[in-house]
Amino acid sequence: PAASSRLYSASSALEMTKRVLVPIADGSEEIETTCITDTLTRCGAEVTVASVMPNQLTCKMSRGIKIMADTSIDEAAKEEWDLVVLPGGMPG
C-alpha cells in the first residue's frame, strides 16, 4: 500500500511540467550537462540550456566537445524558471 501511494504521488508530481534552466559556459563539464538535461527531460521537465558566453551559443566543454545552447543567458533571464541547475566545470 505505501509503495503504491508513493508511485501515485510521483506520477502526480510529473503532471505539472517544471521549467528548468541549465546555464553553460566554455569549460563546463559535458557529462554533468548531458546527464542533468537527459534525466530532467526524461522526468517530464522542460529543460532549456543557456550559454553565458557573450554573443555565442556554442560552448566548448571541458573535454573539447562543443554543445550548442538553446538560448543566451540574457534571453533566459527575461523568463521565470522553477529551477536553475548548474553543471560543474572550470572556468565555466
Side-chain angles (χ1 to χ4, degrees), residues 4-85:
S4 63
S5 65
R6 278 192 303 245
L7 180 60
Y8 176 76
S9 62
S11 298
S12 298
L14 291 178
E15 291 176 15
M16 296 177 60
T17 302
K18 299 296 183 185
R19 298 186 71 232
V20 181
L21 179 66
V22 181
I24 62 170
D26 287 348
S28 292
E29 289 283 340
E30 52 272 82
I31 294 297
E32 291 183 28
T33 302
T34 54
C35 286
I36 288 166
T37 57
D38 178 60
T39 302
L40 291 171
T41 300
R42 288 177 189 234
C43 289
E46 177 189 323
V47 179
T48 300
V49 177
S51 171
V52 302
M53 304 302 295
N55 303 312
Q56 74 181 54
L57 292 180
T58 303
C59 294
K60 186 175 180 183
M61 307 307 271
S62 64
R63 303 292 183 263
I65 294 172
K66 294 179 181 175
I67 293 182
M68 180 175 283
D70 301 308
T71 190
S72 69
I73 196 68
D74 292 332
E75 289 301 311
K78 297 174 184 175
E79 300 182 40
E80 290 190 25
W81 303 93
D82 296 303
L83 181 68
V84 177
V85 182

